[in-house]
Amino acid sequence: MKRKEFINLAATVLQRLDAILPPLAQEPDWTAVAYRWHKLGNKGILESLPHPHTFSLDCLAAVDEQRRQLVRNTEQFLAGRPANNVLMTGARGTGKSSLVKALLHQYADQGLRLVEVDKSDLLTLPALLSLLTARPEKYILFCDDLSFEDGDDAYKALKTTLDGGLSQRCDNVLVYATSNRRHLMPEYMADNVAHTGNGGEVHPQEAVEEKVSLSDRFGLWLSFYPFDQNAYLQAVQNWLEEAGLNLDETARRAALNWSQSRGSRSGRVAWQFVCDWAGRNPQDRIV
């Protein structure tokens, strides 16, 4: 093989290797206020998000009590006082995720930072905690739409993070999770029946305890409920005001038609309506 051919072949091999090998570890951009954690082998990469999706807490409707408790808990955390991990469960589109995003808008100047962690990346949480524990900022690990299926071991890493295991829990890290499931794992009628048949659980109560134990590790539970028409219209008004528009009679009727076409009333549906309404030309804002 000629020298030039060998060099070209070596360059091709290196390019192919570069496509599959993980990138070199780099120091995270600690000037950012929001991050996303990506699993990489037994560790991970903390990717900064320069333009996170945040907005004022005042944009959210029909969640006043949930907001009050979450704000109080977060302010305790920022002040260095004891605070709880938080599990937010309930109807879809009612403001669970939005509340967490709005906290960043409210408290980023006071040192609050948000780290989004997908369920598939939970197994590397110990590596993430080792990065964050020495930092002066306060970090909320945000696990959105969290749930686990039978045989999924990722929840065990989360349990250790919530309770700290043998090591102490990180003083500057809390977990805020949202889910449509109260206990985060599937539950079956068979869990309530003591049976020892073919393939049956010999000690079914222990299986139930295992499933409930994860949600029990969240100290603060917040429940969210479906919107009625008044709550939906309030959410529409809030988002319209954020867009510099008013809830006049035309917009009101259009918003109600929008919710009827979706078969649902929620904060998410209200926001989606306003995205459509605000994006129209003025002459097109008709019912």
Side-chain angles (χ1 to χ4, degrees):
M1 181 182 295
K2 295 181 180 180
R3 183 170 180 271
K4 185 176 181 181
E5 293 176 345
F6 175 78
I7 291 175
N8 290 336
L9 179 60
T12 301
V13 171
L14 289 174
Q15 288 176 350
R16 294 169 66 184
L17 285 173
D18 187 62
I20 62 175
L21 289 174
L24 293 174
Q26 296 181 349
E27 184 73 7
D29 177 12
W30 297 116
T31 64
V33 299
Y35 302 85
R36 182 178 290 117
W37 175 253
H38 295 285
K39 178 183 176 184
L40 188 62
N42 294 325
K43 296 185 179 180
I45 296 176
L46 192 59
E47 174 196 3
S48 62
L49 302 177
H51 304 292
H53 180 211
T54 64
F55 35 79
S56 171
L57 284 164
D58 294 334
C59 291
L60 304 178
V63 290
D64 292 346
E65 178 58 23
Q66 297 93 329
R67 176 174 59 185
R68 183 188 68 78
Q69 294 191 57
L70 193 64
V71 164
R72 185 200 65 214
N73 191 73
T74 304
E75 290 180 348
Q76 291 174 202
F77 178 50
L78 291 172
R81 303 195 303 272
N84 277 306
N85 299 299
V86 182
L87 176 61
M88 290 168 276
T89 62
R92 66 186 189 277
T94 49
K96 301 184 293 294
S97 303
S98 296
L99 268 177
V100 181
K101 296 175 184 177
L103 289 175
L104 185 62
H105 180 278
Q106 185 81 10
Y107 297 108
D109 291 342
Q110 299 181 34
L112 184 66
R113 301 292 182 263
L114 199 61
V115 181
E116 186 177 41
V117 182
D118 189 76
K119 183 188 73 170
S120 60
D121 299 320
L122 288 175
L123 287 172
T124 55
L125 275 181
L128 173 58
L129 295 179
S130 68
L131 279 176
L132 302 181
T133 187
R135 297 295 305 173
E137 301 88 358
K138 301 288 188 178
Y139 292 88
I140 289 176
L141 306 188
F142 177 38
C143 302
D144 197 18
D145 290 328
L146 190 63
S147 65
F148 301 94
E149 301 302 327
D150 285 341
D152 190 343
D153 289 336
Y155 77 95
K156 296 180 181 178
L158 181 57
K159 286 170 68 173
T160 301
T161 300
L162 294 170
D163 266 0
L166 185 59
S167 60
Q168 287 189 346
R169 197 176 75 178
C170 295
D171 291 334
N172 67 329
V173 177
L174 284 180
V175 177
Y176 284 10
T178 72
S179 179
N180 293 326
R181 287 178 175 171
R182 184 67 176 269
H183 289 140
L184 302 177
M185 299 183 70
E187 299 175 84
Y188 306 102
M189 288 299 296
D191 291 338
N192 297 318
V193 180
H195 62 284
T196 58
N198 184 29
E201 175 72 48
V202 176
H203 301 289
Q205 186 58 36
E206 293 181 2
V208 174
E209 291 293 329
E210 173 70 10
K211 293 180 177 182
V212 174
S213 65
L214 176 57
S215 57
D216 272 354
R217 281 169 164 77
F218 290 90
L220 180 59
W221 288 8
L222 299 178
S223 298
F224 291 72
Y225 306 98
F227 281 23
D228 59 17
Q229 180 170 296
N230 290 335
Y232 168 71
L233 289 174
Q234 183 61 57
V236 169
Q237 181 176 343
N238 290 355
W239 287 118
L240 282 173
E241 290 176 354
E242 182 74 5
L245 299 171
N246 296 319
L247 181 64
D248 56 22
E249 184 58 31
T250 302
R252 181 181 183 278
R253 284 188 280 117
L256 291 175
N257 288 344
W258 182 275
S259 68
Q260 290 170 3
S261 69
R262 294 293 302 272
S264 174
R265 290 190 296 249
S266 70
R268 179 179 296 133
V269 172
W271 180 74
Q272 291 167 343
F273 163 74
V274 173
C275 285
D276 176 80
W277 193 251
R280 298 187 191 186
N281 292 319
Q283 64 270 20
D284 295 330
R285 290 178 187 148
I286 57 177
V287 180

